[in-house]
């Protein structure tokens, strides 16, 4: 027997009204661009690996990409072995640099959005 699940979101109209009164979409784009660049810098600062052979390829591969007309900021390393550095393997311990950076920046991003909403 299949279970059906549903969800509902309340307050969308109030949110839209509040955004129309207080902020423009350009404000949101600016906040996103600022927080994306801060995340890029923070991630590069945290991408220092003390164990093993390190020449800085992962740090140099981290880049910020703006998508969806400025409504999406993507910051990520592009080396194919960066997940092994982040999560570790059975032969090496994890040296996380993406998640800690994201966790700190997420709080700043939410604070910035909250400030624009007031």
């Amino acid at each position: 027997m299949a279970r059906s699940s549903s969800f509902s979101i309340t307050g969308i109209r109030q949110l839209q009204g509040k955004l129309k009164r207080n902020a423009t979409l350009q404000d949101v784009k600016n906040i996103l661009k600022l927080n994306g660049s801060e995340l890029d810098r923070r991630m590069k600062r945290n991408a220092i690996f003390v164990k093993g052979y390190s020449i800085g390829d992962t740090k140099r591969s981290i880049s910020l990409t703006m998508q969806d007309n400025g409504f999406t900021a993507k910051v990520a390393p592009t080396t194919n072995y960066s997940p092994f550095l982040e999560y570790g393997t059975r032969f090496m311990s994890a040296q996380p640099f993406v998640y800690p950076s994201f966790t700190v920046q997420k709080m700043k991003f939410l604070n910035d959005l909250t400030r624009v909403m007031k």
Side-chain angles (χ1 to χ4, degrees):
M1 182 161 155
R3 283 180 126 174
S4 67
S5 61
S6 64
F7 68 94
S8 64
I9 300 173
T10 58
I12 293 296
R13 290 178 196 240
Q14 292 88 352
L15 176 63
Q16 288 174 336
K18 189 82 167 172
L19 276 173
K20 286 180 183 176
R21 288 190 303 273
N22 292 348
T24 64
L25 292 178
Q26 190 60 42
D27 293 337
V28 175
K29 286 182 182 181
N30 290 339
I31 288 173
L32 195 59
K33 187 175 181 179
L34 174 72
N35 280 275
S37 65
E38 286 178 4
L39 178 60
D40 181 58
R41 281 190 303 252
R42 187 179 309 280
M43 201 179 295
K44 286 178 181 176
R45 197 170 46 239
N46 289 341
I48 298 173
F49 308 107
V50 294
K51 300 173 187 167
Y53 183 69
S54 177
I55 58 173
D57 284 342
T58 301
K59 186 175 186 176
R60 283 190 298 274
S61 77
I62 297 170
S63 64
L64 167 66
T65 308
M66 299 299 291
Q67 301 169 344
D68 298 329
N69 279 337
F71 286 107
T72 302
K74 181 179 176 184
V75 179
T78 57
T79 55
N80 59 353
Y81 54 84
S82 60
F84 301 124
L85 295 169
E86 180 75 15
Y87 300 113
T89 66
R90 66 182 177 155
F91 298 112
M92 75 180 219
S93 59
Q95 299 178 61
F97 63 101
V98 175
Y99 185 72
S101 304
F102 174 74
T103 305
V104 171
Q105 196 61 44
K106 177 175 66 171
M107 295 308 299
K108 291 184 176 193
F109 177 66
L110 291 175
N111 288 338
D112 288 347
L113 281 182
T114 303
R115 186 175 29 85
V116 168
M117 292 293 292
K118 289 183 180 178

